[in-house]
């Protein structure tokens, strides 16, 4: 640890540091609570003077996502960040990015809704993030951090996955993770990709100027012939199948002998890890399965737990019940699946989750 660079900072602040250190080429955003510190920190750090990274406040969230589209179409590492209502405004652009198969990074620091809602933490955007977030059959790669360190680490991981699969990636955080301060180990500085490196990596599809050796690249999500659009859609589905087979990430805590398993992500998972400790102290064999990738979802791992004989699953979320649908699909009727959550920006505590587990599953 003595050889590493360790700082105390907010989750939102560390997103900015991680983007610069990853070698990001451009950030286009618009302020909205509770994630405004991302752009504020970038403006304070002035990376255009050090790495050459562009940082621009757009006119709106709609402008920022279309700026991302333009930057991504050239093969550059570009990103934006927002919070729930702002991501809603970006939904058309997200569909365009997915349809054009453009790699980029989006940060959503969730707040309570629907509508303008509150500025407090929520996990009510699970459907929006994992079931498309726009029109058409598409998926974003979705990572859910549960600490400031993971906010940092997921920036590099999300960018790498986005370029590996030519697909937009989204970090689904919330106001609690964005605003809390923790110790974080910062990554060493990666240099930005040179034009030559970008041409070698992305020249087959990106708009970087047409050499005589190949036909021109056209970046678009539009195809007026239905037969050709179906071919594109089938190719996208093959990509998503590869993601589901190769890129699932999760954390299992005390699941090997668990009679009951809590499934939770992000800040909820932090709380539920304490629930597991409380339950074990009472002699209850409770485990925690934390999805790190919400898409692709760890459905096989949950199905394996159900097949092993887990007696019940509790999906603990800061919403009215969204991820619980994917848990039920994975369990496939082999065990009861219940939901417990708080809404509107309210957060539960470990004891409330344990009480819900007992009431909904153990004492039945």
């Amino acid at each position: 640890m003595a050889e590493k660079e360790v700082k105390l900072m907010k989750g939102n602040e560390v997103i900015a540091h991680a983007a610069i250190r990853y070698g990001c080429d451009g950030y286009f955003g618009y302020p909205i609570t509770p994630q405004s510190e991302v752009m504020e920190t970038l403006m304070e750090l002035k990376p255009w003077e050090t790495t050459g990274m562009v940082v621009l406040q757009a006119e709106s969230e709609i402008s920022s996502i279309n700026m991302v589209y333009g930057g991504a179409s050239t093969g550059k590492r570009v990103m934006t960040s927002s919070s729930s209502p702002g991501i809603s405004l970006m939904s058309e652009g997200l569909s365009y990015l997915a349809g054009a198969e453009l790699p980029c990074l989006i940060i959503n620091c969730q707040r309570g809704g629907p509508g303008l809602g509150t500025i407090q933490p929520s996990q009510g955007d699970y459907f929006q993030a994992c079931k498309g977030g726009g029109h058409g059959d598409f998926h974003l790669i979705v990572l859910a951090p549960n600490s400031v360190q993971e906010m940092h680490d997921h920036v590099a991981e999300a960018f790498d996955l986005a370029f590996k699969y030519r697909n937009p990636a989204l970090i689904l955080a919330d106001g609690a993770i964005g605003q809390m301060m923790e110790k974080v180990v910062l990554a060493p500085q990666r240099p930005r990709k040179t034009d030559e490196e970008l041409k070698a990596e992305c020249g087959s599809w990106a708009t970087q100027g047409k050499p005589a050796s190949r036909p021109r690249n056209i970046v678009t999500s539009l195809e007026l012939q239905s037969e050709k659009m179906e071919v594109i859609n089938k190719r996208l589905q093959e990509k998503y199948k590869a993601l589901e087979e190769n890129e699932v990430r999760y954390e299992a805590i005390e699941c090997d002998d668990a009679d009951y398993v809590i499934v939770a992500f992000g800040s909820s998972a932090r709380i539920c890890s304490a629930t597991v400790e409380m339950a074990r102290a009472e002699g209850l064999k409770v485990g925690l399965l934390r999805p790190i990738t919400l898409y692709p979802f760890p459905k096989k791992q949950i199905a394996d737990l159900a097949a092993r004989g887990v007696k019940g699953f509790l999906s603990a979320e800061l919403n009215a019940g969204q991820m619980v649908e994917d848990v039920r699909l994975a369990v496939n009727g082999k065990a009861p699946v219940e939901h417990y959550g708080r809404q509107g920006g309210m957060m539960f505590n470990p004891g409330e989750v344990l009480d819900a587990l007992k009431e909904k599953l153990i004492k039945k």
Side-chain angles (χ1 to χ4, degrees):
M1 187 68 74
E3 299 175 0
K4 298 181 182 294
E5 189 174 356
V6 183
K7 297 263 178 127
L8 179 68
M9 62 178 67
K10 283 185 178 183
N12 288 334
E13 294 170 343
V14 84
I15 287 282
H17 285 264
I20 296 169
R21 287 166 181 261
Y22 176 80
C24 182
D25 296 298
Y27 171 93
F28 312 98
Y30 190 78
I32 180 173
T33 306
Q35 66 78 51
S36 296
E37 292 93 344
V38 178
M39 184 163 56
E40 289 171 0
T41 304
L42 284 168
M43 292 294 188
E44 181 183 358
L45 294 172
K46 299 181 181 180
W48 53 88
E49 295 180 354
T50 52
T51 69
M53 177 183 175
V54 172
V55 181
L56 179 65
Q57 178 174 327
E59 297 88 345
S60 68
E61 291 89 348
I62 296 172
S63 298
S64 65
I65 198 65
N66 284 287
M67 290 175 182
V68 167
Y69 186 104
S73 69
T74 69
K76 296 287 188 178
R77 267 74 173 156
V78 292
M79 64 179 289
T80 187
S81 65
S82 191
S83 186
S84 307
I87 298 295
S88 295
L89 288 169
M90 296 180 184
S91 61
E92 181 186 48
L94 294 176
S95 181
Y96 281 20
L97 284 158
E101 297 187 81
L102 294 177
C104 62
L105 174 60
I106 306 102
I107 313 292
N108 181 3
C109 194
Q110 301 167 89
R111 57 192 259 180
L116 283 176
T118 74
I119 60 172
Q120 307 305 323
S122 174
Q123 293 178 328
D125 299 354
Y126 179 91
F127 281 159
Q128 181 191 59
C130 301
K131 307 301 182 182
H135 59 285
D137 292 314
F138 77 92
H139 284 289
L140 305 174
I141 300 166
V142 184
L143 295 167
N146 81 331
S147 67
V148 174
Q149 185 67 58
E150 285 195 352
M151 286 280 268
H152 171 280
D153 297 345
H154 284 357
V155 169
E157 186 163 17
F159 263 126
D160 289 345
L161 286 171
F163 275 83
K164 180 178 179 179
Y165 290 92
R166 275 187 61 193
N167 202 79
L170 183 142
I171 295 176
L172 190 66
D174 61 58
I177 302 294
Q179 293 295 324
M180 70 169 56
M181 296 189 75
E182 289 186 317
K183 181 174 66 176
V184 61
V185 179
L186 296 174
Q189 179 70 50
R190 288 193 202 183
R192 287 176 56 214
K193 299 271 185 177
T194 65
D195 289 343
E196 291 72 24
E197 289 172 325
L198 286 175
K199 286 178 181 178
E201 180 183 14
C202 309
S204 63
W205 57 267
T207 55
Q208 300 169 336
K210 177 187 173 300
S213 59
R214 64 159 174 80
R216 63 177 180 164
N217 290 333
I218 299 174
V219 174
T220 181
S221 61
L222 174 68
E223 179 49 68
L224 296 180
Q225 295 184 25
S226 298
E227 297 83 359
K228 290 184 178 179
M229 194 70 232
E230 185 177 43
V231 170
I232 293 170
N233 270 274
K234 286 182 176 178
R235 185 177 71 241
L236 292 177
Q237 296 306 313
E238 287 300 313
K239 178 201 301 185
Y240 304 144
K241 183 179 178 182
L243 272 162
E244 292 175 2
E245 289 175 352
N246 302 313
E247 305 298 347
V248 172
R249 287 146 173 75
Y250 68 97
E251 179 184 17
I253 299 173
E254 301 282 7
C255 285
D256 289 343
D257 67 341
D259 292 327
Y260 299 92
V261 171
I262 301 168
V263 184
F265 69 94
S267 58
S268 292
R270 288 178 69 113
I271 297 166
C272 291
S273 63
T275 302
V276 170
E277 293 179 4
M278 293 171 63
R280 291 276 172 170
E282 293 183 17
L284 300 171
K285 292 182 178 179
V286 175
L288 170 65
L289 192 289
R290 175 172 77 96
I292 297 173
T293 50
L294 298 180
Y295 184 83
F297 190 71
K299 52 190 176 183
K300 181 183 182 300
Q301 289 72 24
I302 293 173
D304 289 346
L305 287 170
R308 177 180 65 72
V310 169
K311 298 175 182 178
F313 294 81
L314 181 70
S315 185
E317 316 166 57
L318 298 177
N319 55 43
Q322 296 188 19
M323 182 179 67
V324 65
E325 295 190 4
D326 286 331
V327 178
R328 287 193 176 115
L329 287 170
V331 172
N332 197 24
K334 291 184 173 65
V337 178
E338 298 287 352
H339 170 265
Y340 176 69
R342 300 292 300 272
Q343 299 171 57
M346 295 296 294
M347 300 186 74
F348 44 63
N349 63 50
E352 290 172 350
V353 179
L354 183 55
D355 289 343
L357 183 68
K358 291 176 179 177
E359 177 185 344
K360 293 173 178 285
L361 290 168
I362 297 176
K363 292 183 178 179
K364 279 196 172 182

